[in-house]
Amino acid sequence: MTPDWSRILEEHGQAVFQAAFRILGQRSDAEDTSQEVFLEACSSPQAGGVRNWGAYLRKLAVFRALDLRRRRRNLTSLDACVLPADSSNPCDEAVRHELADRMRDIIAALPEREGAVFTLRYHELLSNPQIAEVLEISVGAVAAAIHKVRAKLETMIAETSKGALP
Amino acid sequence: MTNRSTTEQNQPHAELPNPFRGAVEEILAEPVPLVNLARIRARLPAAAEPHAVRRAWPARFRQLALAGAAAAVVVAAAALWTPSSNAWAQAIKQVREAKSLSYTELLTLKGQEQPVKTRNFIATDGRKRTEHAGMGKARGVTTIFDANGFVRITLIEDSKTALVPDRVEAPGGNPRPVFLAWLDSLKKAGDKPDKELGRKVLDGRNVTGFVATLGLLTFTMWVDDATGKPARIEYESQIQGTGYERSVMTDFRFDENLDESLFSFDVPEGYKVGPKQPALPSVPGGEKSIVEALRGYTNRADGKFPASIADWGPWVLLVSKDSRDGKLDPEAMGMLAHLGAITPFLSSMRKDDYSYLGEGQTIEKKEAIVFWYKKPDGTHRAIYGDFSVKDVTAEDLPKK
């Protein structure tokens, strides 16, 4: 059966764009990614069998946006990332922007699945079962990924406090 | 600065150590622009044919190319990009541009725990259909209004009865200003709300809240983060002493293909036409209608003034006990016509610009002010216990 692309776009377009925008932080990049996601969905041989378009498109959006961020910033590991500094003056727009930008780099530098889980949990505010449905993995795997990410973040803090990172 | 208040349920990032927590808060606080769906739609195939898909240039390349064509850049950019906007502006745009609309309304009535639930449909030309859910054994009641807010037909499902008014117009003139005041107000809203309420989860959806006062109404709107559409709109009644206190609207559907039959004024097949109520007489509205309505009430209530001029319940009870075979005498009809004209008059004023003080008063207190209001020119008028009406100064008014 041919999917009704116009309706699918209408229903999920903004959600796809939002997921990409929160990862990339740039409107033009997020629109490129959204376009790529829908084109990929259209050309996928699985398109006719997709039951949950919201989950399917969100998954594509998160992975494609993380890919783009990783490529753009040449992020290969967390070692390349700078810990976001605590903002002493939250009214300072530049400081707050920098804070968000460094966080985006850290997310993109995580292993693919961990980055996706982080995004869906903390940007999209999904529950673990919802994340499991989107990524088509078990709830246990989601919990494990979250645990790993938190441990890595704690390590970054500890190492920074020892002066290991700039 | 962006409001970052969130509910406990909706802030998983609270479990992150700082500075990561602050960084995620910052990402969530950034307004998400409205996606240019037209640009994506233009590239989608009509049918899911993989080979038919043609990739668009990445936006940054296109922007560079456009930068070289100085004359074309303004036009092209305007065509390609929607203006940056926040969720409030997106939602208002949806409301403003909606050709048809349906929504569920929960109306909280004074003294009643359970709100009254209706499903409402608004046609492109402004006609409205309101379906009341059945109460008790009775099934639903449906009312169809014309674009000016006049009731054209009422359908009682339980008895398959259609009530068709003899005359369309209502006392007090065109009810349109009250009929869809909330919708008319929101359509005129600007792109900035008065206040942001932050994000929360509402009925399983992530939403962002806003507050804005538009005209006489103060709205709280929760916008679905995923769709950019209003998920919930609330407002308080702006009329003092009215029987209803609060309206909560949800389940909005824009530009649905609403069948024309939903708004037909014709009696549906299987329905019989109910007894015709005599048409209410025309009345002048304004302070004259308040005087005449109060005079009629006190005549029937041993000189006692009603507790409210906006809560019609006690008024209807008063006349119904004197009715014979369900028919009202001409005086009662006149009183109700004046009463019906009061609400549009009160709706045209700010809450602080009038006050009804008749509760507990009797006609024996001739010098007591039972109602006052502020005219558009800033002067005040007062109605007294003997139904006289005078210009007064603000100092003459009873203190609240």
Side-chain angles (χ1 to χ4, degrees):
Chain A
M1 193 175 74
T2 303
D4 181 349
W5 292 113
S6 184
R7 184 185 61 77
I8 291 168
L9 176 65
E10 185 70 31
E11 283 182 10
H12 304 291
Q14 186 65 26
V16 165
F17 175 78
Q18 175 181 289
F21 181 80
R22 292 214 164 116
I23 291 168
L24 295 161
Q26 297 286 336
R27 182 190 178 123
S28 57
D29 285 347
E31 284 207 341
D32 282 347
T33 302
S34 302
Q35 190 175 57
E36 190 181 339
V37 163
F38 279 98
L39 290 170
E40 184 175 339
C42 284
S43 55
S44 168
Q46 302 168 351
V50 172
R51 289 187 178 175
N52 184 343
W53 278 105
Y56 177 71
L57 293 168
R58 215 167 202 168
K59 176 184 175 182
L60 286 181
V62 167
F63 281 122
R64 296 302 162 262
L66 287 172
D67 281 347
L68 183 60
R69 180 93 189 178
R70 204 173 291 125
R71 289 200 308 272
R72 283 270 161 76
R73 312 286 285 222
N74 197 23
L75 299 166
T76 50
S77 76
L78 282 177
D79 293 344
C81 300
V82 181
L83 191 68
D86 262 325
S87 172
S88 56
N89 179 7
C91 292
D92 185 331
E93 185 73 29
V95 171
R96 290 192 292 114
H97 183 75
E98 182 66 18
L99 187 69
D101 212 41
R102 289 187 181 183
M103 189 73 234
R104 289 187 169 104
D105 281 351
I106 289 169
I107 298 165
L110 290 167
E112 192 175 52
R113 179 186 284 187
E114 290 171 22
V117 168
F118 186 99
T119 300
L120 292 170
R121 181 168 177 80
Y122 299 112
H123 290 184
E124 301 301 308
L125 310 178
L126 299 190
S127 64
N128 287 7
Q130 287 172 319
I131 296 169
E133 187 183 357
V134 170
L135 297 181
E136 298 173 282
I137 58 177
S138 69
V139 176
V142 173
I146 291 169
H147 178 76
K148 279 184 192 172
V149 172
R150 277 196 227 147
K152 286 176 182 174
L153 298 181
E154 296 282 3
T155 303
M156 280 187 82
I157 294 172
E159 291 184 352
T160 302
S161 65
K162 286 189 292 185
L165 285 170
Chain B
M1 187 171 163
T2 313
N3 187 316
R4 297 175 181 169
S5 66
T6 51
T7 62
E8 186 66 29
Q9 183 190 7
N10 193 39
Q11 44 184 357
H13 55 272
E15 69 198 20
L16 294 172
N18 256 331
F20 302 107
R21 184 191 314 160
V24 170
E25 279 179 1
E26 185 50 44
I27 290 170
L28 293 177
E30 289 175 355
V32 179
L34 186 67
V35 65
N36 186 347
L37 289 179
R39 184 187 153 211
I40 300 174
R41 187 179 284 114
R43 300 290 169 181
L44 291 180
E49 294 292 334
H51 59 270
V53 175
R54 191 162 57 88
R55 287 182 183 264
W57 280 15
R60 64 182 57 249
F61 292 160
R62 188 177 58 250
Q63 283 172 308
L64 284 171
L66 288 173
V73 74
V74 175
V75 176
L80 288 168
W81 302 104
T82 52
S84 177
S85 176
N86 60 21
W88 164 267
Q90 289 173 38
I92 291 298
K93 190 168 181 282
Q94 294 267 359
V95 172
R96 193 179 295 136
E97 294 178 356
K99 290 187 175 64
S100 67
L101 171 66
S102 66
Y103 59 95
T104 298
E105 182 171 32
L106 292 173
L107 207 56
T108 305
L109 301 180
K110 195 175 177 181
Q112 285 191 25
E113 209 168 295
Q114 287 294 324
V116 173
K117 184 177 182 180
T118 61
R119 183 75 192 158
N120 299 272
F121 305 84
I122 300 174
T124 306
D125 63 4
R127 284 172 297 163
K128 182 184 175 193
R129 174 188 179 95
T130 297
E131 297 176 349
H132 293 257
M135 298 174 74
K137 286 183 179 176
R139 280 179 284 177
V141 175
T142 297
T143 309
I144 300 171
F145 304 80
D146 65 22
N148 287 319
F150 294 117
V151 174
R152 299 299 292 265
I153 188 167
T154 301
L155 304 171
I156 304 167
E157 192 181 344
D158 205 33
S159 59
K160 294 286 178 195
T161 303
L163 301 177
V164 184
D166 252 355
R167 204 171 58 194
V168 168
E169 70 261 37
N174 189 337
R176 171 74 196 193
V178 184
F179 175 55
L180 282 174
W182 72 269
L183 184 60
D184 293 337
S185 297
L186 280 179
K187 283 182 174 178
K188 293 174 192 161
D191 285 347
K192 297 281 182 191
D194 298 340
K195 193 168 80 172
E196 293 188 15
L197 299 176
R199 306 175 78 226
K200 69 173 185 180
V201 175
L202 186 70
D203 299 331
R205 292 185 288 179
N206 297 323
V207 294
T208 304
F210 304 93
V211 174
T213 297
L214 304 166
L216 298 172
L217 298 172
T218 297
F219 294 92
T220 300
M221 181 193 284
W222 293 97
V223 179
D224 189 320
D225 291 346
T227 65
K229 293 177 180 175
R232 183 183 177 115
I233 299 174
E234 307 170 20
Y235 66 93
E236 306 275 336
S237 166
Q238 86 281 23
I239 302 172
Q240 285 182 25
T242 185
Y244 75 92
E245 297 176 325
R246 180 181 185 77
S247 169
V248 176
M249 293 173 286
T250 57
D251 194 14
F252 290 92
R253 294 178 200 173
F254 295 93
D255 297 329
E256 272 184 314
N257 214 355
L258 298 177
D259 196 283
E260 177 61 26
S261 64
L262 288 172
F263 306 100
S264 171
F265 302 150
D266 297 333
V267 177
E269 200 176 321
Y271 276 73
K272 62 179 183 292
V273 178
K276 297 216 170 186
Q277 288 289 334
L280 292 173
S282 293
V283 293
E287 66 180 36
K288 287 184 181 172
S289 278
I290 296 179
V291 167
E292 293 311 318
L294 290 175
R295 196 194 304 277
Y297 187 97
T298 54
N299 282 344
R300 289 168 179 266
D302 302 325
K304 291 177 187 167
F305 282 90
S308 168
I309 54 174
D311 183 358
W312 295 356
W315 295 68
V316 173
L317 280 178
L318 189 67
V319 296
S320 61
K321 71 180 182 184
D322 294 334
S323 69
R324 289 181 184 174
D325 302 328
K327 290 183 180 173
L328 299 176
D329 61 71
E331 279 183 16
M333 295 290 289
M335 186 189 82
L336 291 180
H338 286 296
L339 179 66
I342 292 175
T343 300
F345 178 55
L346 299 183
S347 300
S348 68
M349 296 185 282
R350 294 171 55 86
K351 265 185 177 177
D352 294 340
D353 287 346
Y354 66 89
S355 188
Y356 174 71
L357 306 162
E359 185 172 12
Q361 296 281 19
T362 66
I363 54 172
E364 287 167 9
K365 294 183 181 172
K366 295 180 180 177
E367 300 300 317
I369 292 177
V370 293
F371 180 81
W372 65 261
Y373 71 102
K374 188 177 178 181
K375 291 169 66 178
D377 64 5
T379 61
H380 293 80
R381 296 275 286 169
I383 300 173
Y384 290 82
D386 62 356
F387 306 111
S388 60
V389 186
K390 296 173 188 169
D391 289 329
V392 291
T393 65
E395 289 71 36
D396 296 330
L397 300 175
K399 299 287 177 279
K400 286 182 181 176

